[in-house]
Amino acid sequence: MIRLHKNVALSDSGYVFDPATGESYTLNPIGLEIVQMLRQNMTDDEIQGRILDRYQVDASSLERYYMDFIGSLVQFELADNE
Amino acid sequence: MEKLPFERPFIKKVSTGLPAKFGSKKRIEVIPDIEGIPVSHLMADYGSPLFVLSESTIRKTIREARSAFSTRYPKVQFAWSYKTNYLDAVCRIFHQEGSWAEVVSAFEYEKAILNGVPGTRIIFNGPEKSPSILEKAIMNNSLIHIDHFDELYALMELSRKLERKPRVAIRINLDAGIYPQWDRFGFNFENGEAWEAINRILLSGLFDLAGLHTHIGTYITTPSAYRTATAKLASLMVEIQHKYNHTIGYIDVGGGFASKNTLRGSYLQGYDAAPSFDEYADAITSALINSQIKPEHLPLLILETGRALVDDAGSLLTTVSANKRLSNGHRAVIIDAGVNLLFTAFWYDHNVAPTTMNTDNTEETTIYGPLCMNIDVIRPAVILPPVKKGDHLVIQRVGAYNMTQWLQFISMRPSVVLIDINNKPHIIRKAETVETIRQQEQIPEHLQ
Ligand SMILES: Cc1ncc(COP(=O)(O)O)c(C=O)c1O
């Protein structure tokens, strides 16, 4: 289960600010959608299901890119993989 | 409902403080086609990776260079530097455009002859010329550029043996105010060695001393270095005239003009840093015109320009084979062409362009080749849209030195396609196959 850190600030345009480190980030639109879903405590499967419904991508490619993206969030210490 | 196009999700750190070297929002160039042929079609027809050369660009560039010089000086001759790209089709384009051949080995010499270049229009440079190829060059009346005293004595012997007067020049190394000074080649100007060689040549009576040659280095971004070098050769020419009443027919200032590639790690983009042909031409021709050479003795000016004439015409088309996140969070992509094909990746930050771009988002990416080695880096940090496996990337300005210095290492060398002036593609070098490589091998009986 991926948990986004609580005080990470997120704008509708995909701008992310982490008050813990003072770093800021930008997300592309799909990245933003995923982070918003994480914020609603949706599970990995729910999130990927939602993306598969909306975008032209197959499940195995999506899973690869999704895990990679989550890896970046963890690496930037914006989320924990529990 | 119609599904939306998918882009790989990503997050990118916003750097604060000093702007990145590339500025905040550098426009990314997109290259969907080469001379009107879609990159995807070229790769479908000829494979990936693929070298593509544009005949129009080659012709346009050599004409531009020629006109820069011939509008400033009455007698100009380009000689195509074979080592830069000796695919026969490429050489023949230059020869059609009026260029002679500049070669540095028996192999290149034979290639020039097979390309129909008359022996008298072949300039033979280089520190290693065997007696047999020298003999051939003498019989063909080629211009032999003597590199060192051992070669001078070898030529004296051949001249006596063949009872011919070889047409020669000497290669001169000199201080043109740039570093490094290429003093490994030829006779030194400043310490009097070049003058000594000239005296031995002319006193022997065995030679026709036709020219003086220098090649001050490569990717020279200071035209004034050529002014200095040309002025030094001109002063020697005047001394020769004065002492021997012998008129030197040509001055050959070699190659070395910078191409529009960006040197690795350089802050200035090559496009801004590289002087124009006009700037080089101005420096060289004004040094000749302002010298003490009498107007009726003005020599033919020979240029052996290599990279600046062909770099822009070549592209390497590649396919993304994988996408990675490195342990430090940086992005990386692996493509199907490595430094074994793109030797110039060691010196240049080649421009790498996607073939489509339907996003505003970009990220800094390192591009690796497929070799199992740490050195296989095509570009350390390049700004790209998020690319996926199977996407195509076009590496620009690869026409010089790659199709001659490429290595058959781990994989085989791909096809080279020339797109002619009517935008029709032609294979000018077939992709190697396992058979191409195996043909050269022999298996001793006890291992069969
Ligand atoms: C003698 C000589 N002439 C011409 C060239 C071509 O140089 P460039 O490609 O820098 O123009 C070279 C390259 O090293 C050379 O050694």
Side-chain angles (χ1 to χ4, degrees):
Chain A
M1 180 73 188
I2 306 299
R3 251 180 225 301
L4 201 66
H5 289 175
K6 264 205 211 64
N7 29 12
V8 166
L10 184 65
S11 83
D12 289 344
S13 61
Y15 182 80
V16 180
F17 179 70
D18 180 2
T21 59
E23 298 281 3
S24 46
Y25 306 86
T26 56
L27 293 159
N28 66 345
I30 295 189
L32 173 62
E33 271 184 60
I34 294 174
V35 172
Q36 283 166 337
M37 289 189 267
L38 285 172
R39 168 138 292 173
Q40 294 161 27
N41 292 322
M42 289 169 67
T43 66
D44 290 345
D45 288 347
E46 288 168 341
I47 294 173
Q48 288 179 59
R50 189 77 77 80
I51 301 284
L52 282 173
D53 288 343
R54 284 172 37 77
Y55 292 94
Q56 298 161 9
V57 61
D58 63 273
S60 78
S61 307
L62 174 62
E63 179 176 339
R64 198 152 39 87
Y65 293 126
Y66 178 81
M67 293 319 294
D68 185 68
F69 177 68
I70 296 299
S72 311
L73 295 181
V74 171
Q75 191 137 37
F76 291 143
E77 300 183 3
L78 298 169
D80 281 323
N81 202 344
E82 293 171 356
Chain B
M1 199 185 78
E2 179 86 21
K3 289 194 185 181
L4 304 167
F6 176 78
E7 177 179 284
R8 181 162 63 68
F10 77 88
I11 181 164
K12 178 172 73 168
K13 202 178 243 174
V14 179
S15 44
T16 47
L18 285 174
K21 172 173 153 188
F22 302 96
S24 47
K25 260 253 178 341
K26 183 176 175 274
R27 221 189 89 251
I28 291 184
E29 191 177 357
V30 176
I31 301 181
D33 66 84
I34 310 282
E35 302 294 353
I37 308 180
V39 168
S40 54
H41 292 192
L42 285 166
M43 290 171 115
D45 290 350
Y46 303 106
S48 175
L50 179 70
F51 276 104
V52 179
L53 287 157
S54 157
E55 183 171 348
S56 316
T57 305
I58 296 177
R59 291 192 189 271
K60 189 178 112 275
T61 313
I62 174 73
R63 286 173 195 179
E64 223 178 271
R66 215 173 39 213
S67 124
F69 282 87
S70 56
T71 51
R72 292 177 166 83
Y73 190 78
K75 293 189 278 181
V76 178
Q77 180 61 53
F78 278 83
W80 176 237
S81 160
Y82 263 48
K83 72 174 88 58
T84 312
N85 189 321
Y86 46 56
L87 293 176
D88 287 340
V90 171
C91 297
R92 284 167 192 239
I93 297 173
F94 283 105
H95 299 323
Q96 272 190 2
E97 290 289 337
S99 295
W100 294 0
E102 185 269 327
V103 304
V104 292
S105 66
F107 163 66
E108 290 187 356
Y109 189 91
E110 299 292 357
K111 252 180 164 265
I113 293 283
L114 291 168
N115 279 327
V117 183
T120 52
R121 295 181 178 185
I122 301 178
I123 293 170
F124 199 175
N125 279 317
E128 207 281 323
K129 311 179 187 86
S130 70
S132 63
I133 195 69
L134 276 178
E135 202 168 312
K136 191 162 186 170
I138 294 170
M139 298 315 286
N140 286 336
N141 271 323
S142 298
L143 297 162
I144 301 169
H145 287 188
I146 306 172
D147 191 83
H148 44 69
F149 280 113
D150 282 329
E151 187 168 84
L152 175 55
Y153 287 111
L155 278 167
M156 284 179 173
E157 269 173 44
L158 282 172
S159 158
R160 289 192 192 99
K161 175 181 138 193
L162 300 171
E163 298 180 351
R164 298 282 287 242
K165 251 188 159 182
R167 290 169 75 213
V168 299
I170 58 164
R171 168 134 177 197
I172 296 166
N173 68 66
L174 45 79
D175 180 3
I178 49 168
Y179 180 85
Q181 190 177 331
W182 283 27
D183 58 3
R184 234 183 75 200
F185 305 101
F187 302 90
N188 185 255
F189 174 84
E190 285 80 13
N191 71 9
E193 194 185 30
W195 182 239
E196 184 186 337
I198 289 165
N199 282 308
R200 291 212 204 163
I201 287 169
L202 288 171
L203 292 172
S204 76
L206 293 169
F207 298 99
D208 169 12
L209 181 63
L212 300 175
H213 172 233
T214 190
H215 171 72
I216 57 176
T218 194
Y219 205 95
I220 308 292
T221 50
T222 41
S224 62
Y226 284 95
R227 188 190 308 275
T228 309
T230 309
K232 288 186 174 177
L233 295 191
S235 72
L236 274 182
M237 191 178 147
V238 171
E239 284 180 66
I240 294 167
Q241 187 75 44
H242 182 74
K243 176 165 173 187
Y244 293 98
N245 199 23
H246 172 73
T247 307
I248 292 291
Y250 68 89
I251 279 186
D252 177 347
V253 295
F257 301 162
S259 77
K260 293 185 172 53
N261 263 306
T262 303
L263 283 189
R264 193 169 256 200
S266 158
Y267 182 79
L268 276 178
Q269 296 293 299
Y271 215 87
D272 306 319
S276 64
F277 288 128
D278 283 311
E279 290 171 84
Y280 290 116
D282 192 60
I284 294 168
T285 60
S286 64
L288 284 176
I289 288 166
N290 297 329
S291 70
Q292 296 301 316
I293 301 172
K294 291 209 175 77
E296 66 271 25
H297 293 154
L298 274 182
L300 174 70
L301 170 61
I302 296 182
L303 298 140
E304 303 170 348
T305 313
R307 74 176 73 238
L309 291 181
V310 79
D311 235 0
D312 277 9
S315 308
L316 178 57
L317 315 188
T318 69
T319 305
V320 173
S321 33
N323 224 300
K324 282 195 166 180
R325 190 163 34 80
L326 303 179
S327 60
N328 60 5
H330 286 167
R331 301 293 325 180
V333 298
I334 300 173
I335 59 173
D336 59 358
V339 291
N340 55 324
L341 298 184
L342 197 71
F343 201 82
T344 52
F346 292 125
W347 326 323
Y348 289 149
D349 278 341
H350 278 290
N351 193 38
V352 182
T355 57
T356 58
M357 172 116 179
N358 26 36
T359 174
D360 284 338
N361 295 299
T362 58
E363 55 188 356
E364 189 170 292
T365 308
T366 299
I367 302 179
Y368 293 109
L371 307 179
C372 315
M373 304 179 80
N374 237 347
I375 56 161
D376 195 16
V377 183
I378 298 289
R379 258 312 288 271
V382 61
I383 307 292
L384 283 179
V387 291
K388 302 192 292 291
K389 177 176 160 70
D391 286 353
H392 299 316
L393 292 176
V394 178
I395 305 174
Q396 288 183 288
R397 303 202 176 94
V398 304
Y401 293 105
N402 287 305
M403 282 155 258
T404 50
Q405 294 194 55
W406 52 1
L407 300 175
Q408 189 269 305
F409 176 60
I410 296 189
S411 55
M412 289 158 298
R413 287 168 286 201
S415 294
V416 181
V417 164
L418 177 78
I419 302 182
D420 71 18
I421 52 173
N422 300 313
N423 294 4
K424 188 167 174 283
H426 307 263
I427 291 191
I428 59 170
R429 190 177 192 277
K430 288 187 291 189
E432 290 170 347
T433 64
V434 175
E435 238 355 87
T436 325
I437 312 302
R438 288 198 70 214
Q439 256 174 19
Q440 296 306 111
E441 298 189 27
Q442 294 187 38
I443 300 173
E445 205 163 314
H446 72 285
L447 296 175
Q448 287 186 357

